Amino acid sequence: MKHHLHPTREHAALACIRIDDHAHTCIDSNCILLPSLSVFNSRTDQIQLNTPIAIMPDSRWTRVGRHSYNTNSHSARPIRTPGGKLVAQRDKKTSKGPRCGDSKVPLQGIKHIRSTKYHSLKKRQRTVSRAYGGCLSAKCVKERIMRAFLLEEQKAVKKVLAERKK
């Protein structure tokens, strides 16, 4: 049985055909190399017998759910199964994550998930083991400690100066 394909240069690029002197190899790992097909050469208007050709697997996939719009709450991406089929995988919404109360920078060491999912996390994933662990950044805590220490030192200096005057 002869298969007559009419590929153009674009189709050949999509099919990722590369013919060497000794071997017929496929550039892309997702290609399927078919050993003996008859191919119609559009430049010479001749049929080439037993020419290996690489064919890409099907790249179509269907969205899951009621509508086909790629909205924030209905986004999906294609995932290839071990059988080579493309299926839709729903993307979860991401959050900006917890932020510092003073400087508004994202807190390091705490997962960025939706606020309703935090109750299912372990405590070590929800917080940082430090004073003001899940509320303030380390830099802000350091500044607060320094400020408190300097205020105490200033009070002590004032007290010593007041005693010297007497």
Side-chain angles (χ1 to χ4, degrees), residues 1-2 6 9 13-14 37 41 48-49 59 63 82 87-88 97 102 112 124 127 134-135 137-138 140 147 152 158:
M1 180 176 144
K2 290 185 178 179
H6 301 279
R9 286 191 183 111
L14 286 175
L37 284 177
N41 191 337
Q48 297 173 341
L49 298 174
S59 62
R63 292 186 164 278
V87 294
D102 289 347
H112 289 217
R124 65 178 176 78
T127 186
C135 303
S137 64
C140 290
R147 192 181 313 128
E152 289 297 319
K158 281 184 180 177

Side-chain angles (χ1 to χ4, degrees), residues 20-149:
D20 296 333
D21 293 337
H22 304 291
H24 304 290
T25 57
C26 182
I27 299 168
D28 192 1
S29 61
N30 291 331
C31 292
I32 302 166
L33 198 60
L34 300 177
S36 60
L37 284 177
S38 300
V39 177
F40 179 77
N41 191 337
S42 60
R43 281 182 280 156
T44 60
D45 291 332
Q46 293 177 349
I47 296 173
Q48 297 173 341
L49 298 174
N50 297 330
T51 304
I53 184 169
I55 297 176
M56 295 293 287
D58 195 10
S59 62
R60 297 174 296 177
W61 57 282
T62 311
R63 292 186 164 278
V64 181
R66 294 185 297 276
H67 60 81
S68 61
Y69 302 109
N70 190 25
T71 61
N72 284 340
S73 60
H74 196 257
S75 61
R77 61 188 166 128
I79 298 292
R80 195 171 296 280
T81 61
K85 186 179 172 187
L86 279 179
V87 294
Q89 185 181 63
R90 292 287 296 269
D91 289 333
K92 290 192 170 103
K93 279 186 171 183
T94 56
S95 73
K96 286 170 46 172
R99 296 182 168 263
C100 175
D102 289 347
S103 61
K104 308 299 183 214
V105 296
L107 294 177
Q108 292 182 333
I110 300 177
K111 286 198 164 192
H112 289 217
I113 57 172
R114 307 295 297 278
S115 55
T116 55
K117 303 290 181 192
Y118 273 109
H119 74 278
S120 62
L121 288 181
K122 296 174 179 149
K123 188 177 179 187
R124 65 178 176 78
Q125 294 172 327
R126 288 192 304 251
T127 186
V128 180
S129 55
R130 180 181 62 238
Y132 299 100
C135 303
L136 297 177
S137 64
K139 183 180 174 185
C140 290
V141 172
K142 185 178 176 181
E143 286 175 2
R144 281 189 179 201
I145 292 170
M146 290 290 288
R147 192 181 313 128
F149 176 74

